[in-house]
Amino acid sequence: MEEKKKLCGYYNYTVVLTYLGMLFGFTGIIFTMEGTYRQAVLCLMFAGICDMFDGTVAATRQRDAREKRFGIQIDSLSDLICFGVLPALFGYMASGKTYLGFLAGCLYVLCALIRLAYFNVLEEERQQAESGSRSCYLGLPVTSAALLLPAFLVIGRQLSFGISRLVPVLLIGLAAAFVLPLRVKKPKLFGKIGIVFTGIVEFVILLMGLGMEI
């Protein structure tokens, strides 16, 4: 018999970071539309932080099968907004609304959608066959945009690259990496420390206003 609920969905602490990350992603979309790119990229990075630790938080609570499936779906839906739509729109706007920027954004968000849907299928099958967390990903995770896009902007600015022209190229490269059957090892403790440290450096540089003159 189906459980009677006052509201659809789940609202315990295990999903708070996922919901918060989605709100950062949506806020970043608004900033992008207003042309405030530094704030948009900072929102992207905050969304990445939320995504990095939401699984760790969720693992602290015993969840039933339905809660686990809900967690998989809601995480990917949030990822599509934060690391699919936001970078795609950013690339289009930062390119000066060019045709290349539009096509790159379309390809990027489509590949992100495919990657996330395919991950959901594989993850549900894996959880039915084994317990614990996965050791590697098939295809580059879309959340990598939270680290790679800011790094690209910072490095490109310091080397005087034409960022507005190269952002669409980056999106095309990421789009291909999302759907290619590459095996990417899931970062463990030291890997996460390295990612966090890199993110902090990028955050400080962006907060100082460097590397964001599109």
Side-chain angles (χ1 to χ4, degrees):
M1 184 176 179
E2 187 173 350
E3 176 188 1
K4 186 175 181 180
K5 298 174 66 67
K6 293 182 179 179
L7 294 172
C8 295
Y10 295 93
Y11 303 92
N12 55 60
Y13 72 89
T14 64
V15 292
V16 169
L17 279 180
T18 302
Y19 294 160
L20 184 61
M22 185 279 297
L23 293 175
F24 275 124
F26 179 73
T27 304
I29 290 172
I30 299 299
F31 280 134
T32 301
M33 293 173 64
E34 294 178 348
T36 49
Y37 298 121
R38 181 177 62 165
Q39 290 88 331
V41 173
L42 291 176
C43 284
L44 175 66
M45 296 177 71
F46 282 130
I49 293 171
C50 291
D51 183 81
M52 178 178 289
F53 295 104
D54 62 358
T56 302
V57 172
T60 64
R61 185 176 188 271
Q62 187 68 32
R63 297 175 295 164
D64 59 30
R66 180 174 290 178
E67 286 180 305
K68 289 181 180 179
R69 290 197 299 271
F70 178 83
I72 294 172
Q73 300 300 328
I74 203 69
D75 186 68
S76 289
L77 290 170
S78 175
D79 287 352
L80 181 61
I81 295 172
C82 299
F83 314 113
V85 177
L86 172 52
L89 180 62
F90 183 94
Y92 170 65
M93 296 293 290
S95 72
K97 302 181 181 180
T98 62
Y99 286 118
L100 176 61
F102 172 74
L103 294 175
C106 288
L107 178 65
Y108 177 89
V109 76
L110 176 61
C111 290
L113 172 68
I114 295 170
R115 166 70 175 77
L116 289 166
Y118 191 62
F119 170 82
N120 285 3
V121 173
L122 295 181
E123 183 62 15
E124 286 197 2
E125 291 179 351
R126 187 194 69 79
Q127 289 191 8
Q128 291 174 359
E130 60 184 58
S131 59
S133 59
R134 62 173 53 250
S135 59
C136 66
Y137 298 105
L138 189 63
L140 183 70
V142 300
T143 53
S144 60
L147 191 70
L148 296 179
L149 181 58
F152 179 84
L153 295 173
V154 170
I155 295 173
R157 176 58 183 172
Q158 302 308 313
L159 297 179
S160 300
F161 289 161
I163 294 176
S164 61
R165 298 179 180 179
L166 292 182
V167 169
V169 176
L170 172 67
L171 293 184
I172 293 172
L174 289 176
F178 291 159
V179 295
L180 288 174
L182 307 171
R183 290 200 171 272
V184 180
K185 191 173 181 181
K186 185 177 180 179
K188 295 184 179 180
L189 178 60
F190 289 109
K192 288 185 176 181
I193 291 175
I195 291 173
V196 170
F197 177 77
T198 303
I200 291 174
V201 173
E202 293 176 352
F203 178 81
V204 171
I205 294 175
L206 292 171
L207 203 60
M208 293 170 61
L210 303 176
M212 284 308 301
E213 291 83 354
I214 302 297

